[in-house]
Amino acid sequence: MESNTTVRDTPFMASTGKEVTSTSFASTNNGKSSVTGGKENPRRPFRRLNPGVILPLLAGVLFLFLWELQVFHKLLELKKYQLPLPSAIAEAMRDNFSLLLSYTGYTLAEAVVGMLIGSACGFLIALAATAWPRWGGGGLTLVAALNAVPIVALAPIMNLWFGDGIGSRAAIVTAATMAAMAINAYKGMTAVDPLALDLMHSYAAGKPAVFRYLRIQNSLPYVFTALKINATASMIGAIVGEFFFSSRGLGYLLSNSIKVAKMPLGWSCIVLAAIAGVIFYLMVERLEKVFIKWHSSQRA
């Protein structure tokens, strides 16, 4: 078979100023480079493995392995009833799976409802603070002050106002997530490019148009940052709220399990709360990739 190699002379100027002819070779083999002989690089499948996923998984497996071998018990001088083994926690999760699943859904519903209300209220406060800085700016101060109040202090008040149902924990989560959204959204709405703002003014754009096409668009990356913060903060607020006034939920079951010394069941609640928080966070992160594909952070 004839070779597909072609030879061509390419003139170029050497450093001495004289024209020199170099011979360059271009070889093709059915569209594949002759360097590899038409074979796929054997290392390529390993490059497809994402280190950002593999390394945390390996670290988690190593952590559980050391935990099961009671390494942490020896280092911290703990007994098994103080820190149950992963095998005991897995057994408790298997024996109480339906109960844990029901309570996880209840707590997650509190977190989602409270986060949506709190994030919406925070965004509206940011809009008011941007549109009317003299009057709306005070709202940011009030929200920051409310966020400084401990959840354990808000729980009795919200229970008195909204009863011992899901409304009181949703209100606690609302108060805990409002500040992050308000401050981040306000930062995004005010940190606009001055040239873009001048361009909008040159087109005689009114204040509503500037907000719709410039300020709100510019605030979306900040808004999703706040949502990712609130995704974990909402789970914390819901669980802590259930410690005091609740008859259902992971926080309620965790509190009762500690009181009766059922530590494997209590740790099962902690594990499921962590899993629910991670899933909630990943859902928000996925929505971020869908809605702000145009942003430089998503193209990188």
Side-chain angles (χ1 to χ4, degrees):
M1 180 180 294
E2 295 183 359
S3 174
N4 292 331
T5 303
T6 61
V7 181
R8 59 180 183 268
D9 294 334
T10 304
F12 65 93
M13 300 300 294
S15 60
T16 59
K18 298 180 181 180
E19 186 175 294
V20 182
T21 301
S22 69
T23 302
S24 61
F25 294 88
S27 176
T28 58
N29 184 4
N30 295 330
K32 296 182 180 180
S33 174
S34 62
V35 176
T36 59
K39 298 181 180 180
E40 186 179 358
N41 190 346
R43 296 182 180 180
R44 185 172 297 175
F46 295 98
R47 294 179 181 177
R48 296 176 183 175
L49 299 176
N50 188 0
V53 176
I54 298 300
L55 293 179
L57 286 178
L58 293 177
V61 172
L62 178 62
F63 179 81
L64 292 177
F65 181 72
L66 295 177
W67 186 355
E68 184 67 27
L69 293 179
Q70 304 183 33
V71 174
F72 302 120
H73 296 75
K74 298 175 182 177
L75 291 176
L76 302 176
E77 298 182 355
L78 297 174
K79 304 298 182 181
K80 289 184 180 179
Y81 71 89
Q82 295 175 309
L83 180 61
L85 297 178
S87 56
I89 297 173
E91 183 179 357
M93 292 178 65
R94 185 185 68 247
D95 296 340
N96 302 275
F97 182 75
S98 59
L99 178 65
L100 289 170
L101 190 63
S102 173
Y103 281 9
T104 300
Y106 185 80
T107 302
L108 191 59
E110 296 172 344
V112 171
V113 171
M115 192 202 75
L116 292 178
I117 297 174
S119 298
C121 292
F123 189 79
L124 292 176
I125 293 173
L127 278 176
T130 307
W132 303 284
R134 181 177 299 180
W135 306 105
L140 295 175
T141 305
L142 292 176
V143 168
L146 179 62
N147 190 64
V149 178
I151 297 177
V152 294
L154 286 175
I157 298 174
M158 297 303 176
N159 182 72
L160 182 63
W161 288 1
F162 300 101
D164 59 353
I166 191 174
S168 62
R169 267 84 65 194
I172 294 172
V173 175
T174 299
T177 57
M178 198 183 304
M181 176 59 71
I183 295 173
N184 278 275
Y186 176 76
K187 176 66 175 177
M189 292 181 192
T190 54
V192 296
D193 188 355
L195 296 178
L197 193 59
D198 291 341
L199 180 63
M200 295 291 291
H201 290 160
S202 67
Y203 288 151
K207 203 170 187 178
V210 172
F211 265 85
R212 179 180 177 183
Y213 296 108
L214 182 59
R215 295 192 183 276
I216 293 180
Q217 290 289 328
N218 192 72
S219 70
L220 288 180
Y222 297 85
V223 168
F224 278 101
T225 298
L227 287 176
K228 287 189 285 188
I229 295 173
N230 289 341
T232 53
S234 61
M235 289 297 298
I236 296 174
I239 291 174
V240 174
E242 290 171 351
F243 263 78
F244 300 96
F245 302 98
S246 181
S247 57
R248 293 182 63 188
L250 290 177
Y252 164 78
L253 185 60
L254 174 60
S255 177
N256 285 354
S257 299
I258 294 175
K259 291 176 183 178
V260 297
K262 293 183 178 180
M263 298 306 296
L265 182 58
W267 275 89
S268 300
C269 298
I270 296 174
V271 171
L272 286 178
I275 294 174
V278 170
I279 293 175
F280 197 10
Y281 177 89
L282 293 177
M283 290 174 61
V284 174
E285 190 176 45
R286 180 59 183 172
L287 291 175
E288 180 184 22
K289 294 179 179 179
V290 171
F291 285 101
I292 58 170
K293 294 184 291 186
W294 48 268
H295 195 255
S296 58
S297 63
Q298 305 303 318
R299 295 195 302 265

